[in-house]
Amino acid sequence: MLRLQNIQTYYGNIQALKDVTIDIEEGEIVTLIGANGAGKTTTLMSICGITPPRKGEIAFKGSRIHHLKPESIVQLGICQVPEGRRIFPGMTVVENLEMGAFLRNDKAGIKSDLDMVFDLFPILDQRRSQLGGTLSGGEQQMLAISRALMARPRLLLLDEPSLGLAPLIIQQIFEIIKKINKESGTTIFLVEQNANQALKLAHRGYVMENGRITLVDKASVLLENDEVKKAYLGL
Amino acid sequence: MKNIKQSLAVSLWFIFLTFPLMVVKVNTSDQLVQWRWMNILWIGLATFVLSFVWRYALARKEARQMAAQSGQDEQDKPSRIQALLEDQSLRYKAMIALLIFALAFPWVFDTYQSTIMISALIYVVLGLGLNITVGLAGLLDLGYVAFFAVGAYSYALLNHHFGLGFWTILPVGGILSCLFGVILGFPILRLRGDYLAIVTLGFGMIIKVVLENWSDFSFGPSGIANIDKPGLFGLKMDIAASTTYIYYIMIGLVVLTIIVTARLKNSRIGRAWIALREDEIACVAMGIDMARTKLSAYALGAFWAGMVGVMFAAKTTFINPASFTFMESAIILSIVVLGGMGSILGVILGAMILILLPEYLRAFSEYRMIIFGAAMVVMMIFRPQGIISNVRQKYEFKGLKEKSENV
Amino acid sequence: MKRFNLLLVALVVCVSLASPALAADTIKLGVAGPHSGDLAPYGIPAMKAAQLVVKKINANGGVLGKQVELLIQDDQCKPEIATNTATKLVTQGADVVLGHICSGATKAALGIYKDAKIPVMSPSATNPGLTQSGDYPNFYRTIASDDMQAKLAVNFAIDKLGAKKVAVLHDKGDYGKGFAEFAKKFLDESSKVKVVLFEGITPGAMDYSSIVQKIRRAKADVLIFGGYHPEASKLVAQMKRKRMKTAFLSDDGVKDVSFIKVAGAAAEGAYMTGPRDLSSIPLNAAATAEFKAAYGEDPGAFFKEGYSAALALLNAIQKAGSTDYAAVTKALQTQYVDTPVGKIKFDGKGDAEGVGFSVYQVKGGKFVELK
Amino acid sequence: MEYFIELFLGGLTRGSIYALIALGYTMVYGIIQLINFAHGEIYMIGAFVAYIVCGVLTIYGFHGVSILIIAGLLAIVYSCAYGYTLEKVAYRPLRNAPRLSPLISAIGMSIFLQNYVLLAQTPDFLPFPALIPDFEFMEPIAHIIGSPELVILVTTLVTMIMLTVLIKYTKIGKAMRATQQDMSMARLVGINVDRVISTTFVIGSALAAIGGVLVASYIGQVNFYIGFIAGVKAFTAAVLGGIGSVPGAVLGGLVLGLTESFAAGYISSDYEDVFAFGLLVLILILRPSGILGRATKQKV
Amino acid sequence: MSDTTKRTLLEVKGLTMDFGGLRAVDSIDLTVSEGEIAALIGPNGAGKTTFFNCVTGIYTPTDGDILIHPKDKPTRRVNGSKPNMVTTLGMARTFQNIRLFPDMTVLENVMIGRHCRTKTGLTGAILRGKAARKEEQEIVESSYTLLEKVGLGEFANEYSKNLPYGAQRRLEIARAMATEPFLLLLDEPAAGMNPQETADLDALICRIRDVEKIAILLIEHDMKLVMNISDTIHVMEYGKKIATGTPQQIKDNPKVIEAYLGEETEA
């Protein structure tokens, strides 16, 4: 479905991604794990066209997208839940959700998706007209995911949804990710630091170190891989 | 083909845009409408051609940036002038030639040329002063002319009331203006950049209003006349002699400013200013006292404006508030930015160009300001670093030398 | 080294360009004033007047048998530029100077002319200090000073309008504030009226509603305004809008066709002082006709004053028999000359004797002189 | 008391014009952190276009309200076109440049546009026709508040309400808010940020044009220089209210207008500008981000 | 680990920092002793950088005490001191997202660090007297020496923005060292480095402790580095400290493993 081939991305003079190749099949949950600063977020930003790669190719369903503008990429159905949630703080919950559906024009569809999202996260329903900035961390994360869902994505990119959240909430969120994948068949590309959780959830995993992919395998295999443990705990 | 279409569209758009203002001229009292259809043609043609140039220039700029990013460092490659500047031996030769030229100037040219040159030199000092505040320390000041006014009025008033002479007031004017800078700067320097800009702009305007209204103090809008010219041991001089004399004082002042600003720039304090411009948080984390450093930059910038304000009053022998408008501040700021922020040579060149060009292009005087405005925009788009971008000093240290000698 | 040579060549070229063409034997008349920028409308008519006068005199054999040469310089009405232009005129060897136009620029330039012993005659600088302070013995003008205008305006307000309470406003400018301060002084000296308000307004401000309300509250029956027509138009328009009956009395800066054009109906009935109506003087009609023939339009502000000044200056040289400063000065002060502003000579301070002001009123969209 | 009301209404009128122009500054600043120095010139161009259109229409025999409507609309159209072009030419190429560059470019643009109008038209003051008729019913209180003031206040109020609706409830308004709050996130939800910025300039320009036409017909004159003073004051108002905040701009405009009016009325109009800027300095010292501005904490 | 008689340099007691309703740092106790490399680890968002910002004066903590015990000087409480004061007192830091002065040369960046230890004023700078020149020379020499120490000598006259990432991090360390601190606070010094660079950094940090006698407190995610060099490790999660100990103790602490690899919950 999505194919990154040997992409290289720079920030100014600094090369952040070095020949990264990733394949994601339709309906899969794929996770990208790695330490801070390994280049995981950059990978997502490259896919979304915010920091387009200087070399290499990104193809979505067979057509190349790495030269497109971010809004065109979103239009294709690739949506991101960025790191740190990035809720619009001065907009209400409903408005934030509407922004997620920015490129859609079917009023009825948006309405029913709103209900769907509120079903998924009842707490957001209670907070409807509260400003995004006043929500708690967990609620913001739920809102961020919901906002992305409002675009009816074919491919959902999640950047560290567990960041700074309490374990109970993390668990809740991961379950919902699973549910989204199962029920609507949305392909999910999950970037995580929380390797254990992520690998348990995913079908396949990639391990990233210093801008390179160092390991690719089934998630269950990676979960048992000593290299992964080592990379994380320096054992 | 695509280009032609694009340019055609641009040209049509501008014809539409300029239609009412360029084509129609109404005389309501005589009930006449003047249709200047020829203007459409000119606008159309001009924008058609310009859009080509514009696109080409933008594309070139982008290509350069891309090249720079992929590590080829094209952008940092100094321009031809800069390469020349860095050639040490040539630099000294050029400096000596320039100095001889400057010293010989009043003997070679007539008095008028000298007066024009004095005006330009006044702006050189103003530019260098503002360069400290804006170019080095990064504090945007849109009311710099206020300090210029403080200097000019200190001399005019002290001379008028107490008969104090030019040489006594020259430093006093600078110091007064410096104090003024500190008093104003103290409450406002914690403001963020753009807020600082509007507040300084406000101060510039307040000064003018006060000078206009407080007649008992400043003699109001009619100004102060018959200010003494600088004296030389009580010698009586005719116009030509005193102009030459003022010219030399000005040259001295410029040289002093250049030396002082150059030394400051490459000193502990100058480095702190530049660091402050680049990153305030990193700066305080390195133990630099932000408030003090900012204030010193602000006050020192004001100091030069005050000194040269005294000079200005002595040269014109008459001042009134009309000389201290926002436009002056804008021109001084343009000198700094067009010349190249932080670069001393750039600022000097900027002042010379902006002040001398209009003098010699009197024929274009109607179009002067519009060209000036357009040049500012074009310059910012295609060469935001100014005519001469700031070159950082290269330091010598024993370690590296020894190493290279050993090799 | 090549570069060095280039520099030398450049230097030589500069020098040759800059050195003035050596003086042929002519009488040099300098003309300085704003010829560009937004104040150009005040400077160009005087410049054109000088050109017309010189053309005519040269056609008739010139002055003292020599041709008259014009040296024209733009000072943009800025003091600092005026000193530059003055220096330029002095270095070019001007014998007499017609100018400058604005009082501030004139003050800044006069010192330079004084040192060079050059008589200067302005068609427009009305600041009283220029003649009355005694600082500028070389200064003359063909227009009356502000205090005369103010005196006339105040007398008119008291005697003809029967003012009891007067508000005085000005535009904080050199000219306007000077006029207003004199008006206030003369009003204070009179026991019949009270100055109920004396304030400056900001030129270019969005509106003057507060100050207009203030005038109304002060119950002033006459408003004396010192300044120019844009602010005056705004004031009269807003006063009319507030249904005020206060009489509006202003100065020469307002007596401009633009005032009537811009203020429209609100201008009706406004009073202003201005140079006496000179249409009865034959030379005036002739000069105007000359201008119309040459440029196909009506002459603008200070045309006849400029024309008169040029005539007076050249006449004085003719009468003095040389361009010597003392002789010319003496001729200016003793010899009468016929000009578009009347038959004039100058007093010891430099003011023209026989030049005066009248009060005008806007009636039916025209300035009408009140006798 | 009557005097107080008069001054209050006068200040309100002036303040609402400031507010209209200030909105353009504040919206642009909110999104791209640029002081659009040339915004005052857009206001001036609006007034000038309206003047030209009125002149032509009057000479060709049109009358009354039709002139007002056509002139007003064309003024808005042209101001928007100028605003749009301004952004495209002078600011967009500088999107990633050092902070001072677009500011200098803006000052340059301001000088350019002033002189363009001066050269293309005239340096003189021109009489602007009184487009707003004197209403019969206003006559009894005309000395307190005239018809033009009433029209200005009502128009401003209506414009503000429309703007609020636009920003709060329309798609483009929400996109503008989203872009202001987090530009890169806005792109991630598919908002075309460039288009939003252009739209912001266009809306700001339309507001300035409305202000320009209202003021010109209120005071009855136009000139190439009117934009500068109005621009500086409006910008002051925007900063006063907290730049970037839409209600802040309105509040700042009104506060500034009222301050000037009361200061001139009760103290002296000599120092009108001193009071205006003094207030600004005072408020910034007490609240460095303006009355309604949000304090931004820099991330370390 | 050697014995524990070493002097305490930094003593933090009950440090708490609230942002609005959010408690980012929750009563943390922590000490750093002379000659020690202490590490502060924990998942993203645990409050480590906020802790740093409180200690270095960028934030004023809501509650708690930060005491420093410089050598030969009295103990001081530095809560709410301005950052430049903290640096002058002897604690210098680096930043997570590198904060160099990009348009200054590498050497000048370090020279800025010398600012608070030198004293040439305006007059000195203008007159450039003997003392000023000597001091200036001293600044250049000592800064260059520092650059050599971190292995950047050859880049001295480059613009710092043109350095590779790893070198920029090392430059930040050199700049902080130029302020002559007794304690160096490093915020993720290894982030974005490749294994070779990380290994070099490893050696550099040890050298700073052993040769320069500067104690170090660092935040780091690279566990290999942390485990290799730290004398003491403090672990934070959700603003609270959950563990302190030697690398071995930390490795074996189940709470830490849980925090890092995620909870071993059976879904």
Side-chain angles (χ1 to χ4, degrees), chain A residues 45 48-50 69-71 74 80 82 85-92 95 98-105 147, chain D residues 167-169 171-179 181-194 196 294:
Chain A
M45 290 301 174
C48 286
I50 301 280
K69 286 186 165 180
E71 55 268 21
V74 176
Q80 191 182 155
R85 284 131 8 207
R86 304 286 282 274
I87 295 301
F88 298 116
M91 300 177 101
T92 64
E95 281 174 337
E98 283 169 354
M99 290 325 292
F102 186 76
L103 290 173
R104 291 172 58 186
N105 285 317
R147 182 176 59 190
Chain D
I167 291 181
K168 264 218 127 78
Y169 303 111
K171 202 159 180 176
I172 184 70
K174 286 176 190 166
M176 282 165 64
R177 273 154 67 207
T179 310
Q181 288 167 22
D182 190 335
M183 194 186 283
S184 59
M185 188 59 224
R187 302 178 73 183
L188 280 178
V189 296
I191 295 171
N192 184 335
V193 169
D194 282 342
V196 169
R294 245 172 298 147

Side-chain angles (χ1 to χ4, degrees), chain D residues 235-297:
Chain D
F235 180 54
T236 308
V239 174
L240 198 64
I243 196 157
S245 150
V246 169
V250 178
L251 185 67
L254 295 181
V255 167
L256 191 69
L258 288 171
T259 308
E260 285 185 352
S261 185
F262 284 127
Y266 284 113
I267 309 170
S268 164
S269 68
D270 283 342
Y271 291 97
E272 199 176 57
D273 286 352
V274 176
F275 289 115
F277 288 112
L279 177 77
L280 173 76
V281 173
L282 198 72
I283 285 189
L284 287 186
I285 288 170
L286 297 176
R287 274 189 68 89
S289 315
I291 305 174
L292 296 183
R294 245 172 298 147
T296 44
K297 202 145 201 166

Side-chain angles (χ1 to χ4, degrees), chain B residues 55-195:
Chain B
R55 269 200 309 274
Y56 169 75
L58 268 187
R60 238 191 75 173
K61 180 188 164 199
E62 218 157 273
R64 259 209 320 263
Q65 268 172 358
M66 279 306 281
Q69 275 181 1
S70 49
Q72 285 158 16
D73 269 347
E74 187 90 31
Q75 201 184 24
D76 286 325
K77 205 200 259 168
S79 65
R80 279 248 286 288
I81 318 168
Q82 242 147 4
L84 275 180
L85 289 176
E86 285 181 23
D87 183 338
Q88 285 289 331
S89 64
L90 199 73
R91 199 167 152 192
Y92 282 120
K93 258 188 226 158
M95 260 159 99
I96 289 165
L98 205 68
L99 201 68
I100 293 172
F101 177 73
L103 290 177
F105 192 88
W107 308 105
V108 180
F109 297 94
D110 59 24
T111 315
Y112 167 67
Q113 302 292 336
S114 304
T115 41
I116 296 297
M117 196 48 85
I118 295 171
S119 297
L121 292 176
I122 286 178
Y123 280 90
V124 168
V125 177
L126 283 173
L128 288 172
L130 187 63
N131 187 35
I132 296 178
T133 323
V134 180
L136 296 181
L139 304 168
L140 183 54
D141 187 346
L142 292 180
Y144 190 62
V145 79
F147 303 123
F148 189 45
V150 169
Y153 269 89
S154 339
Y155 179 50
L157 289 171
L158 290 171
N159 180 267
H160 183 90
H161 292 300
F162 307 108
L164 293 177
F166 172 80
W167 291 108
T168 328
I169 308 298
L170 189 63
V172 172
I175 291 164
L176 276 178
S177 162
C178 196
L179 278 178
F180 197 72
V182 173
I183 294 166
L184 291 190
F186 211 68
I188 62 168
L189 279 177
R190 67 193 185 110
L191 298 177
R192 269 195 299 138
D194 300 325
Y195 288 80

Side-chain angles (χ1 to χ4, degrees), chain D residues 72-272:
Chain D
L73 284 179
L74 277 176
I76 292 174
V77 166
Y78 269 98
S79 280
C80 292
Y82 271 91
Y84 174 81
T85 314
L86 177 71
E87 191 268 333
K88 252 199 140 134
V89 172
Y91 305 144
R92 186 164 299 176
L94 290 168
R95 201 59 61 67
N96 300 315
R99 204 177 53 83
L100 266 183
S101 303
L103 182 73
I104 300 291
S105 178
I107 294 177
M109 226 34 207
S110 163
I111 295 173
F112 178 86
L113 287 174
Q114 267 178 31
N115 285 277
Y116 154 68
V117 173
L118 183 152
L119 291 172
Q121 293 286 319
T122 165
D124 283 340
F125 280 84
L126 295 169
F128 197 93
L131 295 175
I132 303 166
D134 273 337
F135 302 124
E136 209 52 55
F137 65 90
M138 292 292 290
E139 204 48 41
I141 51 162
H143 61 285
I144 299 174
I145 176 168
S147 308
E149 283 103 323
L150 185 75
V151 171
I152 289 179
L153 289 176
V154 171
T155 314
T156 312
L157 190 69
V158 171
T159 312
M160 299 288 174
I161 291 170
M162 277 163 58
L163 182 72
T164 313
V165 170
L166 179 97
I167 291 181
K168 264 218 127 78
Y169 303 111
T170 65
K171 202 159 180 176
I172 184 70
K174 286 176 190 166
M176 282 165 64
R177 273 154 67 207
T179 310
Q180 174 173 2
Q181 288 167 22
D182 190 335
M183 194 186 283
S184 59
M185 188 59 224
R187 302 178 73 183
L188 280 178
V189 296
I191 295 171
N192 184 335
V193 169
D194 282 342
R195 194 173 300 156
V196 169
I197 293 171
S198 286
T199 313
T200 310
F201 270 88
V202 166
I203 293 173
S205 302
L207 295 173
I210 294 171
V213 176
L214 288 175
V215 169
S217 87
Y218 174 49
I219 62 171
Q221 50 181 265
V222 288
N223 170 257
F224 73 94
Y225 201 61
I226 55 170
F228 175 74
I229 296 162
V232 167
K233 284 289 169 62
F235 180 54
T236 308
V239 174
L240 198 64
I243 196 157
S245 150
V246 169
V250 178
L251 185 67
L254 295 181
V255 167
L256 191 69
L258 288 171
T259 308
E260 285 185 352
S261 185
F262 284 127
Y266 284 113
I267 309 170
S268 164
S269 68
D270 283 342
Y271 291 97
E272 199 176 57

